[in-house]
Amino acid sequence: MILVVGATGQLGTAIVRKLVAGGQPVRAFVRRTGQYQHLQGAGVELAFGDLRDPASLDAACRGAEVVIATANAILPQGSSSFEAVEGKGYQDLIAACRKHGVKQFIFISVPVTPYDDTVPSFRYKRLNEQRLQASGLNYTILRASLFMDCWFAFIGSTLPARGAEAPTIERQYWFLKVFMKGVGNLIPGTGTALIPGNAQVRHAFIATDDVASIMVNAIGHPAAERAILEIGGPEILSWQQVADIYSKELGRKVRPVYAPGGVFRSMRAVMSPFSEAASDIMGLNWLVAYSTPYESRKSAGELGVQLTSAEEFIHNKATLAKSS
């Protein structure tokens, strides 16, 4: 049995779909108040619970051989906090895995930056990496570069959500809704892309579906045993190159407008007393100003995953938009 924690998110849903397609027994850990209806059906066992409820974690891990964890508090539901979900919650999840003899724990993490300690989502990812390494469990930690599905949207387009199940950019979190309302039409409407950082920043942008494939293919793979792997897409691109890809696909000029990382750093500090999650989102935009030039074609190849290029990703999304 493979337990997916974070199964209702875009990445978690893609993982569940791939496991079911591969004939794997899947248990999806979901909240009773969450949007889990799309996961109901043949091949998916629902385990109701919450990372804030140790008893439900214990029950969900019983009989599981592999745990794939993608859950986070970046876009919170209700009163969730980073400490409750990614702090105590993951501590209890790891303890339950140890108790029930889970054979592999696969964890999605983030790139390393000089300022991890100042942004909650990065700080807790590092903490949980340390917990896994000290747990005695067979762990696979995947430090993923920027997801195309999110960051190609955050700069000014809703196109990346086309055809996706449970797309992240459509999550019902108030700050995300306000943010996307403000930037979602920039590229098609004004021909501008709002970029965090500067023109020198480069990233190995990766498609969420490819991340899901890597996590599924890491199950039982020797290269993933007690390993920390940096994963990204097949190219290391500047934001200008991303804008050029949009320009080519849309048939109009798209011009990058760069917002200094310090702006987001200041907004993070201003929002911190009022909303931890909103402050964290601004912190993510600040940390994106640091390059993640992962060369991961070799590791992806070892795990049997053919990576999607940024041009392929945007073209496929645009094709879906035209056909709808």
Side-chain angles (χ1 to χ4, degrees), residues 134-216:
S135 69
L137 293 168
N138 176 21
Y139 60 84
T140 304
I141 295 167
L142 298 166
R143 292 176 177 165
S145 186
L146 277 60
F147 287 19
M148 296 178 190
D149 308 62
C150 296
W151 290 98
F152 286 4
F154 293 157
I155 64 172
S157 173
T158 59
L159 192 65
R162 291 284 183 169
E165 277 194 286
T168 300
I169 69 167
E170 294 180 5
R171 291 278 292 274
Q172 295 302 300
Y173 172 55
W174 70 269
F175 187 79
L176 177 64
K177 289 164 67 176
V178 170
F179 184 81
M180 286 307 302
K181 185 176 181 180
V183 306
N185 195 49
L186 282 179
I187 289 175
T190 69
T192 59
L194 182 62
I195 308 299
N198 58 60
Q200 284 70 51
V201 173
R202 299 166 72 235
H203 296 287
F205 299 97
I206 187 167
T208 298
D209 196 63
D210 289 350
V211 177
S213 294
I214 288 170
M215 297 188 80
V216 168

Side-chain angles (χ1 to χ4, degrees), residues 152 155 157 160 187 242-250 254 314:
F152 286 4
I155 64 172
S157 173
I187 289 175
V242 174
D244 290 344
I245 292 169
Y246 265 114
S247 296
K248 179 180 177 181
E249 186 60 46
L250 299 179
V254 176
I314 292 177

Side-chain angles (χ1 to χ4, degrees), residues 87-294:
K88 182 67 164 53
Y90 266 87
Q91 183 180 41
D92 291 336
L93 175 60
I94 292 169
C97 289
R98 293 183 61 188
K99 175 182 175 180
H100 293 289
V102 168
K103 295 179 180 179
Q104 186 179 14
F105 192 115
I106 303 173
F107 177 60
I108 190 68
S109 191
V110 293
V112 176
T113 78
Y115 302 102
D116 288 352
D117 287 345
T118 63
V119 176
S121 54
F122 274 60
R123 182 168 68 248
Y124 281 101
K125 291 293 189 187
R126 291 288 93 79
L127 172 62
N128 288 317
E129 286 185 10
Q130 294 164 12
R131 286 170 169 169
L132 283 171
Q133 291 175 81
S135 69
L137 293 168
N138 176 21
Y139 60 84
T140 304
I141 295 167
L142 298 166
R143 292 176 177 165
S145 186
L146 277 60
F147 287 19
M148 296 178 190
D149 308 62
C150 296
W151 290 98
F152 286 4
F154 293 157
I155 64 172
S157 173
T158 59
L159 192 65
R162 291 284 183 169
E165 277 194 286
T168 300
I169 69 167
E170 294 180 5
R171 291 278 292 274
Q172 295 302 300
Y173 172 55
W174 70 269
F175 187 79
L176 177 64
K177 289 164 67 176
V178 170
F179 184 81
M180 286 307 302
K181 185 176 181 180
V183 306
N185 195 49
L186 282 179
I187 289 175
T190 69
T192 59
L194 182 62
I195 308 299
N198 58 60
Q200 284 70 51
V201 173
R202 299 166 72 235
H203 296 287
F205 299 97
I206 187 167
T208 298
D209 196 63
D210 289 350
V211 177
S213 294
I214 288 170
M215 297 188 80
V216 168
N217 289 10
I219 297 171
H221 198 290
E225 184 174 346
R226 288 182 169 80
I228 298 177
L229 303 176
E230 294 179 339
I231 61 171
E235 314 147 294
I236 301 169
L237 301 176
S238 68
W239 286 110
Q240 177 65 64
Q241 289 173 301
V242 174
D244 290 344
I245 292 169
Y246 265 114
S247 296
K248 179 180 177 181
E249 186 60 46
L250 299 179
R252 62 167 299 175
K253 181 67 175 176
V254 176
R255 179 176 63 90
V257 175
Y258 296 96
V263 171
F264 295 103
R265 183 178 184 179
S266 298
M267 293 176 69
R268 177 193 66 84
V270 169
M271 292 180 179
S272 183
F274 308 102
S275 172
E276 179 187 40
S279 174
D280 184 79
I281 290 173
M282 291 298 98
L284 294 178
N285 279 272
W286 167 39
L287 295 189
V288 164
Y290 293 90
S291 297
T292 52
Y294 294 164

